[in-house]
Amino acid sequence: MRCEVCGREIFGQPYYRVIEGGRMTVCGGCAQFSNQEWDPRKPKAQPMRRRSAASTRPRRRSDIEVAEATELVENYGELIRKTRQRKGMTVEDFAKKLSEKESVIKNFEKEQLNPTMTLIRKVQRELGITLIEEAEVGTGAVLTRPMGPRTLGDMLKLKTKEEDEEEG
Ligand SMILES: [Zn+2]
């Protein structure tokens, strides 16, 4: 074994010293450069790079986050229940149609559920009702700045929406 500092052969027991931040196995002479020892029985510290390299990709907005940003209409639970009943569907029928659990439908009607956008869309489509303030949540542009000034595009959208509602 050679001294990692001076390169001379180490006779006998080597010294383990931390020199300039590095763990060195050194001879008795070079051991005097440092009085900071390290323990050769412990595994070497993991390279720091590996940990900090964890990727920090921006998260995509999930359906749930979108749903939270979207306001459900007032008494949406009752609206769902009444519309469903008018169509002659039990909770069980309705749940089967939507491929959802009965409990999900029940809680949704009781307004005790934080529904995903997917579920909201399915219910809307099946019952032909509107559950959220924004008729179409395709772009998300309006949702991200609900209090901001309206662009001409937004106003046109609103106008279209109003007209649609008059027809229905
Ligand atoms: Zn040495």
Side-chain angles (χ1 to χ4, degrees):
M1 181 183 288
R2 289 183 180 278
C3 170
E4 288 180 14
V5 172
C6 68
R8 278 194 296 229
E9 192 73 28
I10 301 170
F11 298 102
Q13 195 66 27
Y15 293 81
Y16 302 100
R17 291 288 187 273
V18 177
I19 298 170
E20 289 182 353
R23 291 175 172 195
M24 304 285 196
T25 306
V26 298
C27 66
C30 295
Q32 291 163 22
F33 293 136
S34 170
N35 54 16
Q36 198 184 343
E37 292 179 44
W38 59 275
D39 191 343
R41 288 164 301 185
K42 285 181 184 170
K44 284 201 174 182
Q46 283 174 9
M48 297 293 270
R49 278 191 208 98
R50 220 175 244 183
R51 263 180 209 189
S52 57
S55 68
T56 49
R57 281 184 305 169
R59 280 196 315 146
R60 291 189 59 181
R61 281 162 69 93
S62 70
D63 269 354
I64 293 164
E65 282 171 316
V66 173
E68 279 168 352
T70 310
E71 226 172 286
L72 284 152
V73 297
E74 226 172 291
N75 299 326
Y76 67 89
E78 201 184 339
L79 178 65
I80 297 167
R81 185 172 52 81
K82 285 195 172 164
T83 313
R84 171 179 60 74
Q85 286 170 343
R86 208 173 58 222
K87 288 178 179 270
M89 278 188 279
T90 63
V91 171
E92 195 188 347
D93 297 332
F94 192 39
K96 269 186 191 161
K97 272 208 155 156
L98 301 183
S99 312
E100 293 285 349
K101 285 179 191 163
E102 278 182 59
S103 60
V104 170
I105 303 301
K106 278 179 190 163
N107 287 332
F108 197 6
E109 291 187 355
K110 277 189 272 182
E111 304 189 5
Q112 288 170 358
L113 185 79
N114 191 4
T116 61
M117 209 56 230
T118 311
L119 178 60
I120 293 171
R121 287 209 188 97
K122 276 199 287 189
V123 171
Q124 286 189 145
R125 204 183 311 132
E126 195 59 46
L127 296 179
I129 54 176
T130 303
L131 295 175
I132 48 179
E133 299 293 335
E134 307 293 339
E136 259 310 314
V137 199
T139 62
V142 181
L143 290 174
T144 52
R145 46 176 177 81
M147 307 308 276
R150 282 183 179 140
T151 64
L152 184 62
D154 289 339
M155 299 218 280
L156 285 172
K157 260 186 249 165
L158 276 169
K159 199 159 187 297
T160 314
K161 189 186 160 191
E162 278 162 18
E163 280 166 8
D164 285 348
E165 278 170 1
E166 274 167 30
E167 282 170 22

